[in-house]
Amino acid sequence: MGIYANFREGLQAFSPQERRNIIIYIAGIMVYKFGLEAFNGSVVALATNRYDFESIRDKTPSQTFERVGLLTGLNQAFQCVGSILIAPLVKRFATKNVLSCAILVFGLCTTLLLIIDAATGGTFMPAAFHNNHPKNSWPYYGTYNTDAMIPVYCVSGIAYGMVELIRRVIPRDIVGGNVQKLRRLDSIVHIFYEITGTAGAFTTGLVIIPRLGNNMAFIITPVCFAVSATVWFFISELDFQRESTTTATRGLRKKPVYWKAAFSGLYLFGESIWVGCRILFSSRKFIWLVPGYAVALYAHRYLENGIAPQVARRYLGDSAWAQIMVGGSNLGELLGALCVLLFTGVIQTPMPWLRLDALMLLIVWYIPYWRPPVEQVGQAWIVAATFTPISFGWAAGDVSLAAYIQASLTRLESKNKNVSALGAVMAFLYSFYIVTYAIAGTLLGRYLDGVYNETGGNNGGSISGGLVYTAGLQFSLICVLVLASTFVPKGSLAFNPSMISEEKLGGLDPMEDKVPTTPDSIGKSRQRKEYRNSDDGSAVNVPKSVCELV
């Protein structure tokens, strides 16, 4: 009853306007996630099949997972560009408008691959293949060079990075800096996000790809993204105020016009990365976030985008079944977010969840020594079941960490003129993970291809020996690194600390903690605090005396 009471009380803590925005935001993100699962799952399976087919047709050594690693790695790297572009945009335009426009661009990018495939003879999967698909034969694919997928996927990565970063920033705009509200909102959003992600992954792997073919399965993605952009447009302005003419004119003398900055990639990259890097590495309070957030995120993505396709294709013989494994991972994320929501009043810091996340990574050690029968879909469900607890730990830590980052950076928002502190930190962390994945994914894929070719290649090769290092050993090292990072902040040695870095995270908005208890200041502290002003779109809109005090 105590947990249920906390849950009910948490929902009632949101104001009517906050609840309205939350409902709209969740509705949009569910449609977005369904389309995203269809797109990413289909493209990776398509690339895997096409590179394998080219290797068999040309009788050349397999380079499948090196190329797939390069494909996904470059997509991740180009997400850096999108995430960097978001930091200045958040300062100049309403967040919900940036989000809606970014996802519309993303939807347009996903249509490019459909057009290329259809223009080169690609069709939907023939009905005769639905129940009896010939092995290593895909005559309904377009005849274009498979490497052409790489630049197309890179372009979509720019828009993808913008959407993924902005959806990590917008919760703070919806509910302010109250860490309890942020934790509950992030948990609720993550729950519905993963409900759709689980359904989308299973639907893609079991229904859409087997019926349409993975070259056409993501035809639903542009439609989903257009619907999502329309829904998000109805989020209220969150009290965003556009700069007045006088203020904007003064601002031209201090900082570059956005269109000029947008085309100056070096300027944007340098400033955003520098601000985020300076905040993270100049304080014991934040430095642990690099392994705790970015490295843990890399491990999670490698599990879904690296290990799942490798096991599906080389162990089970069907690359589409990787989506079943991803569905199991999404189910774990759903359960992890639900636990954070239910226990938000009991576990007030991210540390217990991060430690659980680190330990769950060791589960992958069974994969190198597992020898499942080929072409049996039931074996994919076994992998999905083992992925569930791994992603449970990651999602619980990710949700709790996101709330911590959003709340702890609120007071730093107005210290830089061109990028927001929260946007810069998230951009640095996200970019750090992306660069790590881009490099490691390609190199580890090349290593596995070498193991596969040395053990027989297309005539019975195996990657189990390579997975000892790319899965077991790599995840063990990440486990140690993430676990060690949880003991870096002050006050984190306890199993379930009530505060870290001498900040109690279980209560009020950090701006409210510093307000003196005079009658006048109490009255001001009860006024709603908005997190944008007309000058730079980031500072808290409270009386000047309170700002000076903080």
Side-chain angles (χ1 to χ4, degrees):
M1 290 298 293
I3 294 175
Y4 175 76
N6 288 338
F7 175 72
R8 185 175 180 181
E9 180 184 353
L11 294 180
Q12 293 175 345
F14 297 111
S15 68
Q17 184 185 22
E18 289 172 345
R19 285 196 291 269
R20 173 188 176 276
N21 287 331
I22 289 170
I23 291 172
I24 295 174
Y25 178 59
I26 289 175
I29 208 167
M30 290 179 73
V31 180
Y32 162 73
K33 178 62 171 177
F34 192 90
L36 184 65
E37 286 295 335
F39 179 67
N40 285 337
S42 300
V43 168
V44 172
L46 176 64
T48 303
N49 288 348
R50 290 185 64 97
Y51 280 120
D52 261 359
F53 175 72
E54 289 181 357
S55 173
I56 295 171
R57 181 194 62 193
D58 302 335
K59 297 181 180 180
T60 57
S62 174
Q63 294 181 319
T64 298
F65 290 110
E66 177 186 356
R67 292 294 186 176
V68 171
L70 179 65
L71 176 76
T72 55
L74 286 176
N75 175 268
Q76 304 274 7
F78 274 84
Q79 289 179 38
C80 279
V81 179
S83 65
I84 295 301
L85 290 175
I86 279 299
L89 283 171
V90 169
K91 304 270 286 188
R92 291 164 172 80
F93 302 99
T95 309
K96 59 106 175 183
N97 292 340
V98 176
L99 185 58
S100 294
C101 292
I103 198 170
L104 280 176
V105 173
F106 193 7
L108 292 174
C109 292
T110 62
T111 64
L112 294 177
L113 203 53
L114 293 170
I115 295 171
I116 293 172
D117 189 78
T120 55
T123 62
F124 291 102
M125 180 189 293
F129 287 11
H130 289 172
N131 298 319
N132 187 22
H133 197 293
K135 185 177 181 181
N136 296 329
S137 177
W138 300 274
Y140 50 90
Y141 285 177
T143 57
Y144 62 91
N145 190 317
T146 306
D147 286 339
M149 295 179 65
I150 295 177
V152 175
Y153 207 41
C154 289
V155 172
S156 67
I158 297 175
Y160 186 14
M162 295 178 72
V163 173
E164 285 297 295
L165 183 65
I166 198 66
R167 76 176 185 84
R168 286 167 168 79
V169 175
I170 199 172
R172 199 280 317 271
D173 293 339
I174 293 177
V175 301
N178 186 304
V179 71
Q180 288 285 17
K181 283 187 176 182
L182 281 170
R183 203 154 33 210
R184 289 189 178 100
L185 174 57
D186 286 336
S187 298
I188 293 171
V189 170
H190 211 123
I191 287 169
F192 285 98
Y193 186 76
E194 295 308 333
I195 287 175
T196 312
T198 303
F202 288 149
T203 303
T204 301
L206 296 174
V207 179
I208 302 178
I209 291 180
R211 293 293 171 181
L212 303 182
N214 43 33
N215 61 322
M216 292 291 178
F218 54 96
I219 196 170
I220 65 172
T221 299
V223 178
C224 290
F225 285 3
V227 171
S228 183
T230 304
V231 171
W232 277 335
F233 186 77
F234 290 97
I235 297 176
S236 64
E237 288 285 340
L238 305 174
D239 296 296
F240 175 82
Q241 296 180 358
R242 200 171 298 277
E243 291 185 1
S244 64
T245 304
T246 304
T247 303
T249 303
R250 287 200 308 265
L252 290 175
R253 304 190 191 102
K254 298 179 181 179
K255 53 190 175 185
V257 180
Y258 179 74
W259 68 263
K260 183 178 179 180
F263 287 102
S264 177
L266 181 61
Y267 173 81
L268 285 176
F269 181 84
E271 183 157 21
S272 296
I273 292 298
W274 168 247
V275 172
C277 180
R278 185 177 58 192
I279 292 172
L280 288 168
F281 289 97
S282 63
S283 171
R284 178 180 174 183
K285 177 181 177 181
F286 296 119
I287 192 172
W288 63 278
L289 294 174
V290 176
Y293 185 89
V295 176
L297 179 57
Y298 158 77
H300 175 71
R301 294 302 181 212
Y302 189 78
L303 180 75
E304 293 186 343
N305 299 335
I307 295 177
Q310 293 158 9
V311 172
R313 182 60 185 162
R314 295 290 181 248
Y315 274 36
L316 306 180
D318 193 330
S319 60
W321 291 347
Q323 283 303 101
I324 298 176
M325 304 173 195
V326 172
S329 175
N330 289 340
L331 179 61
E333 294 182 47
L334 166 62
L335 297 176
L338 181 61
C339 281
V340 173
L341 179 63
L342 294 177
F343 294 99
T344 187
V346 179
I347 302 177
Q348 299 183 2
T349 68
M351 298 311 176
W353 299 119
L354 277 178
R355 291 163 187 165
L356 177 64
D357 175 24
L359 295 175
M360 289 297 102
L361 293 176
L362 300 178
I363 293 176
V364 300
W365 268 108
Y366 83 93
I367 294 177
Y369 306 102
W370 185 47
R371 301 294 183 270
V374 181
E375 297 181 353
Q376 291 190 12
V377 69
Q379 303 302 311
W381 288 100
I382 292 175
V383 181
T386 61
F387 279 13
T388 298
I390 300 175
S391 293
F392 171 89
W394 173 80
D398 180 73
V399 169
S400 191
L401 262 181
Y404 170 81
I405 294 170
Q406 291 162 0
S408 59
L409 287 171
T410 295
R411 67 190 63 189
L412 300 176
E413 277 300 286
S414 61
K415 291 188 177 181
N416 188 274
K417 296 182 176 63
N418 294 323
V419 295
S420 81
L422 176 59
V425 166
M426 293 304 295
F428 180 87
L429 292 174
Y430 199 57
S431 299
F432 183 91
Y433 131 72
I434 286 169
V435 172
T436 303
Y437 187 93
I439 296 173
T442 303
L443 295 180
L444 295 178
R446 176 184 295 180
Y447 170 72
L448 285 178
D449 285 334
V451 173
Y452 179 68
N453 293 324
E454 289 173 1
T455 55
N458 296 319
N459 298 316
S462 172
I463 62 170
S464 57
L467 288 172
V468 171
Y469 301 99
T470 63
L473 182 59
Q474 180 187 200
F475 275 42
S476 296
L477 294 175
I478 294 174
C479 168
V480 173
L481 185 60
V482 174
L483 196 61
S485 73
T486 64
F487 296 99
V488 171
K490 294 180 181 179
S492 62
L493 295 180
F495 174 75
N496 181 22
S498 59
M499 66 176 68
I500 54 177
S501 299
E502 299 178 348
E503 284 189 353
K504 189 172 181 60
L505 300 177
L508 298 173
D509 184 313
M511 284 294 178
E512 293 174 348
D513 293 340
K514 300 292 184 178
V515 178
T517 56
T518 64
D520 180 60
S521 62
I522 292 175
K524 291 178 181 178
S525 68
R526 289 175 180 169
Q527 298 173 357
R528 175 168 174 78
K529 294 175 176 58
E530 305 302 341
Y531 285 80
R532 299 189 181 279
N533 65 14
S534 58
D535 292 332
D536 59 12
S538 62
V540 182
N541 189 13
V542 292
K544 182 177 180 181
S545 58
V546 178
C547 287
E548 290 175 343
L549 186 68
V550 173

